[in-house]
Amino acid sequence: MKACIFDLDGVLVDTAKYHFIAWQRLANNLQVDFTEHDNEQLKGLSRDASLDYILKKGKISASSSEKEVWKEQKNNWYLELVNTMQENEVLPNCKELLSDLKSNGIKIGLGSASKNAALILTRVNIKHYFDVIIDGTVTSISKPNPEVFLLGAKVLDLQPNECIVFEDAINGVIAAKAGGFKTIGIGEKEVLTEADLVFPDLSSLNFEMLNRIV
Ligand code: BG6
Ligand code: MG
C-alpha cells in the first residue's frame, strides 16, 4: 500500500444527504418521483449523468439549455446546504485516519465526481492532507468509468495495485475495480457487492490494520 485514494461524498463527509435533498427538490419540481433508491443509483455519478437519470425516469426530453438551467438550480440548492457545513461534519475518524496515513508515508488522493470538491475540503479543513485532488473539474467520464482513479494514480506515479480506493457508491466501487485498484467499500455489504472488503464507515480503520489486510 503506497497510496489511499478517497471518494469524497459519503466517505469523508456526509454530503450525500445534501445531494439527496437538492436532487429530490429538482425532481419534484419536474413532477418526477425521487426516492432513496434513486438516490443510491446517483451516488458517484456526475451532475450531468444524475440529471439524465432523473429526466429518463420522468420520460422528459429537454434541450441542452434547459438542462443547464436545472443543473444550476440543483447546484444552487446544494450549495446553500454545503455553505452551512461546519468543520465537525467530516465523518467519524476521517481526520485521524488521514493524519495516521500521512505520518506513515502513505500518499493521499481524492477521486471525486464533484465539481464542488475543493470547496468542501476547504470548508471542513482537510484539503491540506491531499497530495493529489482529482475531481469533477478535471475528469471527462463519469464513474463507473475508472478515469478519476487512474488519473490520481498517474499523478502520484503509482500503479493501481499500489493504491487502495475507498468508495461508498456502487458506481465508484465498479470504477475502482475496473481500474485494477484494491477497493474498500464504505457502507453496506449487500449494496457494495463488488468491493474487496466493506466497512460500515471509517471508524475502525488505521494505517496498521490497512497495511495488514490489503
Ligand atoms: C459525487 C456524488 O461525489 O459527485 C454525486 O456522489 C454527485 O451524488 C457528484 O452528483 C457530482 O457532484 P457536484 O458537486 O459536482 O454536483
Ligand atoms: Mg460517494
Side-chain angles (χ1 to χ4, degrees):
M1 170 175 73
K2 294 192 178 160
C4 288
I5 302 180
F6 293 89
D7 172 51
L8 175 66
D9 296 312
V11 171
L12 300 176
V13 287
D14 191 11
T15 41
K17 63 186 179 197
Y18 299 141
H19 279 296
F20 179 51
I21 292 169
W23 279 128
Q24 191 176 48
R25 191 169 169 186
L26 181 80
N28 291 350
N29 274 2
L30 298 172
Q31 319 287 320
V32 181
D33 184 38
F34 189 81
T35 63
E36 289 277 0
H37 172 78
D38 293 318
N39 194 51
E40 197 61 45
Q41 313 310 306
L42 296 196
K43 284 184 183 171
L45 295 191
S46 68
R47 207 179 297 169
D48 286 353
S50 302
L51 178 63
D52 287 343
Y53 173 99
I54 290 169
L55 295 180
K56 191 172 171 203
K57 187 175 183 204
K59 298 190 175 65
I60 298 171
S61 56
S63 66
S64 53
S65 58
E66 280 174 316
K67 287 186 185 181
E68 288 309 315
V69 170
W70 292 333
K71 277 185 290 179
E72 194 185 335
Q73 205 164 41
K74 182 269 171 180
N75 198 49
N76 288 340
W77 289 326
Y78 177 65
L79 287 180
E80 275 173 24
L81 298 164
V82 162
N83 281 325
T84 67
M85 281 179 87
Q86 305 292 315
E87 210 179 306
N88 63 10
E89 281 191 60
V90 286
L91 286 164
N93 200 37
C94 166
K95 287 188 185 174
E96 293 81 353
L97 176 60
L98 294 175
S99 162
D100 187 33
L101 291 169
K102 208 160 187 62
S103 60
N104 281 286
I106 303 296
K107 296 284 183 206
I108 298 177
L110 190 84
S112 167
S114 177
K115 292 188 162 102
N116 297 304
L119 168 78
I120 293 168
L121 293 178
T122 303
R123 268 216 83 85
V124 295
N125 195 24
I126 55 172
K127 196 163 176 225
H128 55 282
Y129 288 109
F130 289 85
D131 298 291
V132 57
I133 293 175
I134 307 292
D135 62 19
T137 64
V138 292
T139 50
S140 51
I141 323 174
S142 186
K143 298 170 189 176
N145 186 286
E147 182 197 30
V148 62
F149 300 125
L150 290 173
L151 275 174
K154 191 172 170 199
V155 173
L156 293 171
D157 200 18
L158 293 172
Q159 295 302 313
N161 65 7
E162 297 174 306
C163 311
I164 307 179
V165 167
F166 296 78
E167 256 295 347
D168 71 312
I170 186 63
N171 287 309
V173 169
I174 294 169
K177 291 302 295 175
F181 295 85
K182 292 170 191 160
T183 308
I184 293 189
I186 300 295
E188 293 174 23
K189 267 196 183 121
E190 296 70 27
V191 177
L192 305 175
T193 46
E194 324 261 321
D196 296 309
L197 285 166
V198 180
F199 293 90
D201 51 42
L202 301 177
S203 60
S204 62
L205 305 182
N206 59 48
F207 166 76
E208 191 277 323
M209 75 92 88
L210 287 171
N211 210 28
R212 193 161 26 88
I213 61 175
V214 295

